[in-house]
Amino acid sequence: MVDKKMMNEMNINNEKKKVEKLDSLVEETHTVFALRSCLTSQYNGSFDNDNRPRYIAGTKRIIGSQFSEKRKIRDFLELKGGKIFIKKGNRKEFVDAFIKEYFSHYTKEQLKEESVKKEIFKALIEYYDDLTTFGVTLSVSDMNDSYTGPIQFNDTISLNDVYSNEYDASVTSCLREFKKRESKDDVDKLKSGGGVGKFYKVSYALMAAIATILPQIREEYNLKYRDIKKFDVASILAPSRMKTTSKAGIETELYFRVESKTNFFVLRDLRFEFKFIPLKDPSQILYYEDYEIDVTGVIRLLRKNLKHIKAFYIYDTEMLDYFIKNRDGEESERMSFKDIIKTHIPEIKLVEIDPHEDIEKGYYVDDGGDFGEQ
């Protein structure tokens, strides 16, 4: 029988293994998927088209840029105390301040040497959270280098046909004081309504995002499992926590990360295997009860590649209804995606994500055993 002292030692060793795992380099590929509901939101409007939704030509589907996804995550990480490089401000001043703080032991002549520039560039990647994950192209302070980060998004795409308030756009006022030297014509124009514009929003969109995490052999590569857990949390919470007037009404409904057993296998794009099934006129959809999602293709693809999958990390609000079809076309019971996985792929190692859990605790899977809540 295990005594209390031995049990305590086992717990201490387990906690030590957790920290060691968190601080080790990521060695496997990961595929990330997220579903976000957007209700009366101005989702990543186009600056070149009066901030209207970005429709795919010839369709009613809209897209959101990969840069918008990264921006939300950067802002959230900064809110949580992370070190962010790509933000408002002069990047040359950021680099100069970094060099002054950490490389003041070099002379001006030494700072021009290629080996020193490489050292500084590598240090920047390691220091800033967003450069560790997303990379950077830098051409300031005599430095010209680029690093493609291990985490990269594709553009997001709506699974449903999206309708906007094109003919009934909300009016937004352009409020400012009149300048003393403002011409009378300009003042009259503003007073008569020339200072107001249109605020284009989508009625409802279910946006699908996809990203890959790929280990690299470059010396700058510094992505750790701790960074992945921060990325999980930011991807889940950022859309609803980093709200602005144009981003209100966005929630992450589903998020999962598929961890491969090796650094060679990458799961194919799953977005088009989530089939949006409207239960009413598509132009009248405003709520999750107005549709359901056929994930037959998703389950088929996961089953086919089960031998390559080490773990399946998931966050599910359980608000959306999913189902699959059998070979005869018969539909399964409606349930959450998490329950779909548990029911139809019971052999997969499913790990639930709690985005409010401390980074040092919770979930991940290691070859030597499972550490965290299953």
Side-chain angles (χ1 to χ4, degrees):
M1 185 174 182
V2 180
D3 60 25
K4 187 174 182 180
K5 182 179 179 180
M6 186 176 293
M7 182 65 72
N8 288 337
E9 290 178 353
M10 290 173 62
N11 290 335
I12 291 172
N13 289 334
N14 198 31
E15 291 301 317
K16 184 179 179 181
K17 287 181 180 179
K18 285 184 181 181
V19 175
E20 289 176 351
K21 177 71 173 181
L22 286 174
D23 292 329
S24 60
L25 289 177
V26 175
E27 298 178 347
E28 314 88 359
T29 60
H30 299 246
T31 302
V32 175
F33 177 88
L35 277 183
R36 299 196 179 101
S37 59
C38 307
L39 177 63
T40 61
S41 169
Q42 188 184 42
Y43 193 88
N44 194 205
S46 172
F47 290 120
D48 297 326
N49 192 22
D50 297 328
N51 232 19
R52 287 179 170 86
R54 302 168 190 256
Y55 280 95
I56 300 174
T59 75
K60 291 187 178 297
R61 302 284 185 93
I62 64 172
I63 60 173
S65 76
Q66 57 179 293
F67 307 107
S68 176
E69 289 294 318
K70 293 178 180 179
R71 181 73 272 157
K72 287 193 285 282
I73 290 173
R74 284 188 171 104
D75 290 346
F76 182 84
L77 291 175
E78 186 173 29
L79 180 68
K80 297 282 287 183
K83 298 181 290 292
I84 302 301
F85 183 80
I86 305 298
K87 60 183 178 180
K88 289 183 179 179
N90 188 311
R91 294 182 190 176
K92 183 179 186 305
E93 292 179 358
F94 295 164
V95 174
D96 289 344
F98 184 81
I99 293 173
K100 183 178 179 180
E101 177 73 20
Y102 299 103
F103 294 90
S104 58
H105 54 285
Y106 285 122
T107 65
K108 288 185 178 180
E109 290 302 317
Q110 288 175 320
L111 290 174
K112 296 178 181 180
E113 297 176 7
E114 288 302 317
S115 61
V116 175
K117 291 179 183 179
K118 285 288 185 183
E119 182 184 351
I120 294 172
F121 186 71
K122 183 174 184 292
L124 284 167
I125 300 297
E126 293 178 352
Y127 181 81
Y128 286 102
D129 295 328
D130 59 332
L131 304 191
T132 295
T133 55
F134 301 135
V136 68
T137 297
L138 204 58
S139 183
V140 296
S141 302
D142 293 326
M143 297 180 63
N144 290 280
D145 211 336
S146 64
Y147 171 64
T148 302
I151 301 181
Q152 296 298 325
F153 279 96
N154 286 342
D155 289 342
T156 57
I157 186 171
S158 67
L159 298 184
N160 63 311
D161 289 345
V162 177
Y163 297 82
S164 70
N165 59 337
E166 177 71 27
Y167 302 106
D168 186 28
S170 302
V171 176
T172 58
S173 297
C174 178
L175 300 177
R176 64 177 178 83
E177 295 181 359
F178 298 128
K179 299 177 182 179
K180 291 183 179 180
R181 296 184 180 180
E182 197 114 44
S183 70
K184 184 178 184 301
D185 289 342
D186 288 339
V187 172
D188 289 343
K189 183 179 179 181
L190 287 169
K191 287 182 176 179
S192 64
V196 299
K198 296 292 186 178
F199 188 64
Y200 296 99
K201 300 183 292 184
V202 301
S203 56
Y204 189 91
L206 187 64
M207 304 298 297
I210 191 81
T212 53
I213 303 176
L214 302 175
Q216 300 182 2
I217 59 174
R218 283 191 55 165
E219 61 178 333
E220 294 92 347
Y221 179 66
N222 191 46
L223 188 75
K224 298 181 173 64
Y225 289 94
R226 183 184 300 275
D227 299 313
I228 286 189
K229 291 188 73 172
K230 290 179 180 178
F231 174 79
D232 286 342
V233 172
S235 297
I236 293 167
L237 298 182
S240 58
R241 300 305 187 275
M242 307 306 298
K243 289 188 182 298
T244 64
T245 301
S246 64
K247 303 297 186 295
I250 302 177
E251 299 286 344
T252 301
E253 303 291 354
L254 175 67
Y255 173 91
F256 62 77
R257 174 167 51 85
V258 180
E259 182 177 10
S260 304
K261 291 181 178 179
T262 69
N263 63 349
F264 299 107
F265 174 76
V266 178
L267 195 65
R268 62 171 285 184
D269 192 339
L270 288 167
R271 289 175 297 175
F272 303 101
E273 302 298 341
F274 283 78
K275 307 297 184 183
F276 187 96
I277 311 297
L279 300 178
K280 62 190 302 186
D281 183 340
S283 67
Q284 301 299 313
I285 291 177
L286 293 173
Y287 204 49
Y288 58 83
E289 292 181 342
D290 297 335
Y291 64 90
E292 53 195 19
I293 303 172
D294 180 353
V295 291
T296 305
V298 179
I299 299 303
R300 184 183 299 118
L301 190 60
L302 290 174
R303 280 176 175 161
K304 182 179 179 180
N305 295 287
L306 195 57
K307 65 181 179 181
H308 299 295
I309 297 173
K310 178 178 179 181
F312 193 93
Y313 301 85
I314 186 170
Y315 165 83
D316 190 351
T317 62
E318 302 185 45
M319 300 296 287
L320 308 186
D321 285 334
Y322 304 84
F323 69 93
I324 67 170
K325 297 178 181 178
N326 63 19
R327 293 180 179 179
D328 296 325
E330 297 174 338
E331 299 177 356
S332 70
E333 177 186 350
R334 272 55 176 169
M335 59 185 78
S336 69
F337 188 74
K338 179 180 66 177
D339 287 337
I340 287 278
I341 295 292
K342 287 182 177 180
T343 302
H344 298 282
I345 319 180
E347 59 270 41
I348 203 167
K349 188 178 289 294
L350 190 71
V351 184
E352 294 188 41
I353 298 174
D354 180 355
H356 304 288
E357 181 63 273
D358 187 83
I359 290 295
E360 301 285 347
K361 300 178 182 179
Y363 60 94
Y364 61 85
V365 174
D366 182 74
D367 289 330
D370 296 345
F371 305 111
E373 298 175 0
Q374 295 285 324

